[in-house]
Amino acid sequence: MVYLHIPFCGSFCTYCGFYSETESGAGVTCSAFADAMIREIRSRADEIAGSGPPDTIYIGGGTPSVLPLSSLSSVVSALREVSPGCGRDEFTVEVNPEDVVEKGSAYLDSLLGLGVSRISMGVQSLDDGVLRWMNRRHDASTARKAYSMLREAGFSDISVDLIFGISFLDDEIWRKTLDEIIDGMGTGMSPEHLSAYQLSVEEGSALERLVVSGRYSEASEEKCRIQYDILCRKASDAGYRHYEISNFALPGHEAVHNSAYWRRVPYVGLGPSAHSLLHDGMPSVSAWLSEHGAIGKGRGLRVRCWNPPYLADYVRNVCGSSPADHAYGREGEVLTAEQEVIETVMLALRTDTGISESCLRRLRPDAPIDALIDAGSLCREKDGAEDGPRLRIPEGMFFVSDSIISSLV
Ligand code: SF4
């Protein structure tokens, strides 16, 4: 599993806390960035080759569709040099509607030619007032056009990102947005996947500054809950499986890459600010464990590491001299047993398959599991599980999942 972080955006959205730069603001061209990423791919070849299964590529950002096709394709070629067939299980690229419309059908045909099997498009809203407030570069008609172009090009696995829980977003507008999205924005073909997030105030975002200066007040919990309920009901009526708190899929279209994150499958993240979860079977990780005095402390140790979020430094310093060379000041930590348990429980309980009951009781012997079952905050699924009954948070309690999970970890 490989994640590539493309740290460029055309402009910055009000709510966004992800690391990205504009090409002019960073003083780094897309092609210089792509060259650096190719160096990083080659220097981490052992991790990439040893990271599967599943064999997935996810190109996110930032806005990957800002990157010229020549840069994108040289990065993908480098990836396939070190891991032939990489992305065979799923290959997702995030796009923004304005890039799809501007670059046209030739761009989409080329993405298909690279082996891209899944598109994740940031629509966020179909209300122009909301989109303007978000400082998105597209309007609703551009989103509709982009979606129909993706369908015409032949993409058959499309995910649409949406945002709710904005204090001035009327419930009726939210309903209309969902209806139109689920109807396929005029194409009659529903997106195979929806990701819908409640607006949150991210550190360093423009929204944080609006809140601090009193120019934006967050939506009430009640409003957010109503809009989440509307989302859950409409998605369910349309046949989507609510398989993770923020994610819905038509049958067979659950995201392979993201689902593997939730099962804590190791992955390699490349590019500025990208995180990785690595295991001790990888030669470069053994070197890392040795440096951190953790070598020989038992099998199954894992390292979480991350690239610092500085594009200019990345382009200047990322090097490929040796696989064990932690180029460009990669930072990281060897995960403790307690961190492993907390992450396993937290991520599993965000999904509709939950966690094996025996596993949860073993990992968290003192947690109030029976009380949560009695209160209806956890439910037991008996059928079809190889490892015995499973416990999960029922859909009706997903909205308060944070407090349920925190009582278990
Ligand atoms: S939301 Fe996406 S397009 Fe907007 S600034 Fe963040 S990464 Fe860029």
Side-chain angles (χ1 to χ4, degrees):
M1 283 174 63
V2 180
Y3 171 75
L4 303 175
H5 188 83
I6 310 299
F8 292 106
C9 287
S11 56
F12 301 117
C13 303
T14 306
Y15 54 83
C16 185
F18 292 125
Y19 175 65
S20 69
E21 308 258 10
T22 59
E23 200 175 354
S24 55
V28 171
T29 63
C30 287
S31 116
F33 162 73
D35 288 346
M37 184 165 259
I38 290 168
R39 292 199 299 279
E40 190 185 11
I41 287 170
R42 292 182 178 146
S43 75
R44 297 179 66 188
D46 73 307
E47 294 172 14
I48 294 167
S51 68
D55 211 333
T56 58
I57 304 174
Y58 192 105
I59 305 188
T63 311
S65 52
V66 161
L67 210 58
L69 196 63
S70 54
S71 299
L72 189 68
S73 89
S74 60
V75 165
V76 172
S77 300
L79 207 46
R80 296 237 166 91
E81 270 166 33
V82 305
S83 178
C86 189
R88 80 191 103 203
D89 293 333
E90 186 183 85
F91 183 175
T92 303
V93 175
E94 289 180 354
V95 300
N96 273 353
E98 67 279 6
D99 296 323
V100 171
V101 171
E102 269 166 46
K103 295 188 174 189
S105 55
Y107 172 71
L108 301 181
D109 291 344
S110 302
L111 290 183
L112 286 167
L114 282 178
V116 174
S117 60
R118 184 170 181 272
I119 291 288
S120 172
M121 183 159 75
V123 172
Q124 318 309 359
S125 175
L126 288 178
D127 181 84
D128 283 339
V130 172
L131 288 167
R132 270 194 302 276
W133 177 81
M134 288 176 171
N135 200 32
R136 297 292 295 181
R137 287 167 62 234
H138 69 273
D139 58 13
S141 73
T142 306
R144 293 180 188 111
K145 174 120 188 17
Y147 186 80
S148 85
M149 287 173 66
L150 289 168
R151 287 304 191 197
E152 277 161 26
F155 283 100
S156 56
D157 204 354
I158 302 177
S159 180
V160 167
D161 277 5
L162 295 167
I163 295 180
F164 65 94
I166 306 164
S167 52
F168 58 86
L169 173 63
D170 192 77
D171 294 346
E172 205 40 46
I173 291 176
W174 178 232
R175 274 196 196 91
K176 275 193 189 148
T177 292
L178 286 170
D179 285 341
E180 190 178 346
I181 295 280
I182 289 171
D183 279 351
M185 289 179 258
T187 66
M189 293 177 74
S190 305
E192 284 72 21
H193 192 277
L194 302 173
S195 296
Y197 299 97
Q198 182 179 318
L199 184 72
S200 59
V201 181
E202 300 298 325
E203 204 182 319
S205 65
L207 183 58
E208 183 188 48
R209 295 190 288 281
L210 289 177
V211 170
V212 169
S213 65
R215 284 177 291 155
Y216 178 80
S217 306
E218 289 186 72
S220 68
E221 193 166 319
E222 185 54 16
K223 184 180 185 88
C224 295
R225 177 197 284 274
I226 288 169
Q227 294 190 352
Y228 187 68
D229 287 347
I230 293 170
L231 164 73
C232 297
R233 218 169 25 251
K234 285 196 177 288
S236 160
D237 289 349
Y240 289 84
R241 172 181 161 205
H242 192 174
Y243 72 111
E244 197 266 353
I245 287 172
S246 305
N247 288 281
F248 305 79
L250 291 178
H253 290 279
E254 293 81 6
V256 177
H257 185 90
N258 289 348
S259 297
Y261 283 155
W262 304 325
R263 294 196 310 277
R264 305 194 66 249
V265 172
Y267 63 94
V268 178
L270 303 155
S273 85
H275 283 58
S276 305
L277 180 64
L278 308 176
H279 60 76
D280 60 3
M282 297 169 172
S284 63
V285 177
S286 303
W288 183 289
L289 292 174
S290 163
E291 273 171 35
H292 286 71
I295 200 83
K297 292 207 171 156
R299 288 180 163 273
L301 284 177
R302 299 207 277 188
V303 169
R304 182 181 13 252
C305 57
W306 54 91
N307 285 340
Y310 307 113
L311 176 57
D313 283 358
Y314 179 77
V315 168
R316 236 185 340 264
N317 297 332
V318 71
C319 67
S321 53
S322 127
D325 178 7
H326 298 298
Y328 167 55
R330 229 195 309 166
E331 297 168 41
E333 58 185 349
V334 179
L335 294 180
T336 63
E338 179 67 2
Q339 280 172 305
E340 294 276 0
V341 168
I342 289 174
E343 289 179 21
T344 299
V345 173
M346 283 177 71
L347 291 171
L349 285 174
R350 289 180 61 89
T351 69
D352 70 344
T353 48
I355 187 167
S356 129
E357 180 170 357
S358 58
C359 175
L360 183 60
R361 288 191 187 277
R362 180 169 42 80
L363 295 175
R364 278 296 185 244
D366 300 325
I369 296 170
D370 293 312
L372 289 169
I373 294 171
D374 292 344
S377 299
L378 287 176
C379 62
R380 191 179 274 125
E381 299 277 336
K382 287 196 173 132
D383 296 336
E386 290 164 13
D387 45 359
R390 298 185 73 80
L391 292 176
R392 67 176 177 86
I393 297 177
E395 187 187 28
M397 302 297 276
F398 265 170
F399 187 76
V400 291
S401 59
D402 283 353
S403 71
I404 297 171
I405 292 171
S406 66
S407 69
L408 288 165
V409 298

